Amino acid sequence: MPVTVTQYTRLATDAAGHTVQVGAAPGLGSFELTNGASAVNSSPFPDTVRFIRVATDAKIRVAIGVGATATSTSPLMHANSTEFFSVIPGDRISVINSA
């Protein structure tokens, strides 16, 4: 099952100008990683990306960082969940199935 990653340059603001914890639309685009028994790594994020939204239908482990590779002890994302993460230039995301 694919893991969808959407890239954002900044967080959104509400009508009063307060920052809200969602990516400001439109994002810079999305891509999918096909998770499996071995870690799958993205390319490094572009310099303009500051936040990512990760959505998964499967129970996975996630690692984010320069040269990151997900393992069985990486942070868990439950099936049918979505989370936001901050990233810095050069980071990548890595995912692997979780038992």
Side-chain angles (χ1 to χ4, degrees), residues 49-91:
V49 174
R50 294 293 180 262
F51 301 94
I52 58 171
R53 176 183 177 267
V54 180
T56 180
D57 292 333
K59 186 176 173 183
I60 61 170
R61 300 284 177 161
V62 177
I64 297 171
V66 175
T69 299
T71 68
S72 61
T73 60
S74 296
L76 175 68
M77 281 187 69
H78 291 281
N80 302 312
S81 67
T82 301
E83 292 193 31
F84 279 89
F85 298 94
S86 65
V87 295
I88 60 173
D91 280 356

